[in-house]
Amino acid sequence: MADNLKCSNCNKEATVHLTQIVNNKIHKVDLCESCAQKKGVTDPQGFSLADLLSKTALTPDSSEASLVCPNCGLETSDFRRTGRLGCSACFQVFGDLVRPALEDMHVGLTHKGKIPEVALTRQNSQAQLQALKDSLASAIAEEAYEEAAKLRDLIHELEVAVAELEVTEA
Amino acid sequence: MIESLIKSDRAELTQSTRKGSPVVLSTRVRLARNLSDIPFPERATSAQRSDVLSKCADHIGGLKQMKSGAFFDISQLSELEKQVLVERHLISRELCESEQGSGVIINKDQTCSVMINEEDHLRIQFLKTGFNLNSVWKQMDRFDSDLEDLLDVAFSSEFGFLTACPTNLGTGLRASVMMHLPGLVISEQMERVIRAVNQLGITVRGLFGEGSDATGHVFQISNQQTLGESESEIITRLGSVLKTIIDHEVNARFKYLEENRAKLLDKIGRAFGVLQNVHFLSSNEAMNLLSLMRLSVDFNMLPESNRSDVDRLFIECQPGHIQYAAHEGIEPELRDIARADKLREEFSHLPPLNFDKVGESK
């Protein structure tokens, strides 16, 4: 049976078979002669299968699509390795990987506690304000002055409201 | 740098004058918070880290709760100073190891500390002596709401407050109570208690958190889960488990006293004798002797007024505090001598143990 094993790196016939126990888990890897050479497997000193495993296709699920967070650059493999997220945008990108992990961790799967109303309203109003300003710019570009005047008033109202939510510097 | 903090005469953990509690040493509540848009400390660039540090230090330093507080840049502190702050539970070991751009703000009476750029942008902690879950949470809640007015925190309606590690999602709330449980240890019930509370999502750890052992019979008991329950549900649930543990502990003490009176009084008496005459003492042994002294206050053998002295010594006999008091990094052997000198001196002022009213209700 061993004759049929393929190199886990390049699919050639594997002649080097390694077993290493890392964190109480048995990891096996089969490599062809040249890949074994390249990866330094033949050098018994300083070789760790764990390093190899994290880089080759033997990460938990090789068929798993690799995702990248556009905001902080975190990749699926980073999340799998550390169990940590990199930024708030990561939760949209890796949400489907995070959710199953929560089941064993917590009492429930959705937040039931405090909501930072003020901060959220402020963030929403700022997004809204930006949208209005964009519309205003295009209204002016299109010479729709009546529309522009309405938008300007709305922007002014919202700006006053936002200012009230803003930091009251002591 | 931390001198004024150590010399302060109103530090909550070491100088509290409030009436102590027989089983609970102190109550802590912490919240994990991050700023939206900026990557979490681990993924942030050093420029982003310093931005977060200065922005948060400014805003938080301006809050009324932080009036006359102190800010420390972790990279400016010596190893010994960091160790002292860890021993006072004001910063975490993780923060000590962080790279450039981490800091902590500590308020005047050391009841509140905010770590900046630890695992999350902000780790806010409130601490009080005794069993005070509800009032500590109320203080924290107010502080958090005030902070929300100043900073845009990362939040999602599904996951709650967003944190680097999914174990802190939701409320980001960890409430933790330091308990002195000699009765449960001596009657060999501790293991059973730990297993039982683990099933309720509650963790038991040693004096200094993860991986530390329970010297001095002191355990840190905290909620493990943060998502799917509201803050008040977490606090209430933990509180009721803790009340059960307190009852068990008190029963175990009195049962042991009833069944092994001579043995127990002998142990406490010898510990007192050692503390008055010791010349060489490791920190572990000191914790175990002090544990018996705390028990002797609970059993009316020492006046209630000496409880806070014992609690203070729990902190001041830690290796970092002993070295800091000696004004230099001293070798372990000299440390054990300095620790013995300190305890001998402190215990020479105490009245003799009173064995007449042992275990009577106060």
Side-chain angles (χ1 to χ4, degrees), chain A residues 8-170:
Chain A
S8 39
N9 208 38
C10 70
N11 269 342
K12 270 192 240 161
E13 191 192 339
T15 55
V16 178
H17 310 284
L18 277 165
T19 305
Q20 202 171 23
I21 298 168
V22 183
N23 295 333
N24 291 325
K25 276 188 192 136
I26 298 173
H27 296 273
K28 289 185 177 179
V29 72
D30 306 292
L31 296 166
C32 72
E33 197 68 49
S34 60
C35 286
Q37 284 268 324
K38 252 186 271 169
K39 297 200 173 279
V41 175
T42 44
D43 170 19
Q45 278 184 339
F47 170 74
S48 156
L49 196 55
D51 293 340
L52 192 64
L53 287 173
S54 60
K55 285 165 202 138
T56 64
L58 289 184
T59 33
D61 182 0
S62 54
S63 62
E64 187 172 84
S66 185
L67 303 166
V68 183
C69 172
N71 185 41
C72 74
L74 191 88
E75 294 180 24
T76 304
S77 59
D78 297 324
F79 174 64
R80 288 291 186 207
R81 200 181 63 248
T82 62
R84 307 268 166 98
L85 281 307
C87 68
S88 21
C90 280
F91 287 87
Q92 270 137 36
V93 183
F94 302 105
D96 288 342
L97 303 181
V98 174
R99 282 182 198 98
L102 299 177
E103 278 173 44
D104 295 331
M105 247 176 234
H106 293 292
V107 178
L109 298 180
T110 47
H111 182 55
K112 277 181 69 186
K114 191 171 174 175
I115 295 168
E117 306 277 5
V118 179
L120 288 183
T121 318
R122 188 171 60 224
Q123 284 169 57
N124 288 341
S125 328
Q126 251 139 16
Q128 221 180 330
L129 199 58
Q130 194 51 51
L132 285 174
K133 282 180 179 166
D134 292 346
S135 313
L136 177 63
S138 52
I140 292 170
E142 286 162 22
E143 298 183 10
Y145 295 117
E146 210 172 311
E147 173 75 8
K150 265 190 224 156
L151 286 168
R152 195 197 51 220
D153 292 346
L154 276 175
I155 289 170
H156 182 70
E157 269 172 44
L158 197 55
E159 270 173 345
V160 172
V162 167
E164 274 166 22
L165 293 170
E166 276 306 325
V167 186
T168 38
E169 303 269 0

Side-chain angles (χ1 to χ4, degrees), chain A residues 71-75 78-79 83-92 95-96 98-99 101-102 104-120 122-123 126 165-170, chain B residues 33 35-40 43 59 62 94 119 141 144-145 148-171 224-231 233 237:
Chain A
N71 185 41
C72 74
L74 191 88
E75 294 180 24
D78 297 324
F79 174 64
R84 307 268 166 98
L85 281 307
C87 68
S88 21
C90 280
F91 287 87
Q92 270 137 36
D96 288 342
V98 174
R99 282 182 198 98
L102 299 177
D104 295 331
M105 247 176 234
H106 293 292
V107 178
L109 298 180
T110 47
H111 182 55
K112 277 181 69 186
K114 191 171 174 175
I115 295 168
E117 306 277 5
V118 179
L120 288 183
R122 188 171 60 224
Q123 284 169 57
Q126 251 139 16
L165 293 170
E166 276 306 325
V167 186
T168 38
E169 303 269 0
Chain B
R33 295 287 186 260
L35 306 185
S36 56
D37 304 327
I38 305 164
F40 302 152
R43 305 279 308 170
H59 281 313
E94 187 166 339
E119 181 181 295
D141 190 21
D144 178 53
S145 299
E148 183 199 309
D149 293 342
L150 304 176
L151 298 166
D152 279 334
V153 289
F155 180 85
S156 107
S157 53
E158 179 185 1
F159 297 119
F161 290 94
L162 302 177
T163 53
C165 186
T167 52
N168 296 316
L169 284 173
T171 55
Q224 199 166 17
Q225 295 143 327
T226 53
L227 180 68
E229 272 179 310
S230 70
E231 290 82 359
E233 283 171 323
R237 205 157 67 85

Side-chain angles (χ1 to χ4, degrees), chain B residues 233-302:
Chain B
E233 283 171 323
I234 292 173
I235 297 284
T236 309
R237 205 157 67 85
L238 179 68
S240 70
V241 171
L242 294 176
K243 280 194 195 101
T244 314
I245 296 179
I246 294 174
D247 288 347
H248 276 75
E249 167 63 22
V250 171
N251 288 338
R253 286 179 188 183
F254 281 100
K255 189 156 180 274
Y256 194 84
L257 178 68
E258 213 172 282
E259 291 169 1
N260 305 277
R261 190 180 174 91
K263 220 167 137 186
L264 183 61
L265 297 190
D266 182 65
K267 237 180 152 163
I268 293 175
R270 282 170 191 261
F272 191 70
V274 169
L275 285 164
Q276 285 188 322
N277 295 285
V278 70
H279 280 73
F280 194 87
L281 190 63
S282 73
S283 116
N284 254 353
E285 195 184 348
M287 293 302 111
N288 290 332
L289 294 171
L290 288 170
S291 163
L292 288 165
M293 289 305 103
R294 200 173 203 274
L295 193 57
S296 76
V297 177
D298 298 334
F299 280 147
N300 300 325
M301 297 159 77
L302 279 177

Side-chain angles (χ1 to χ4, degrees), chain B residues 170-181:
Chain B
T171 55
L173 170 84
R174 185 93 61 229
S176 140
V177 168
M178 203 74 81
M179 297 184 109
H180 180 226
L181 304 174

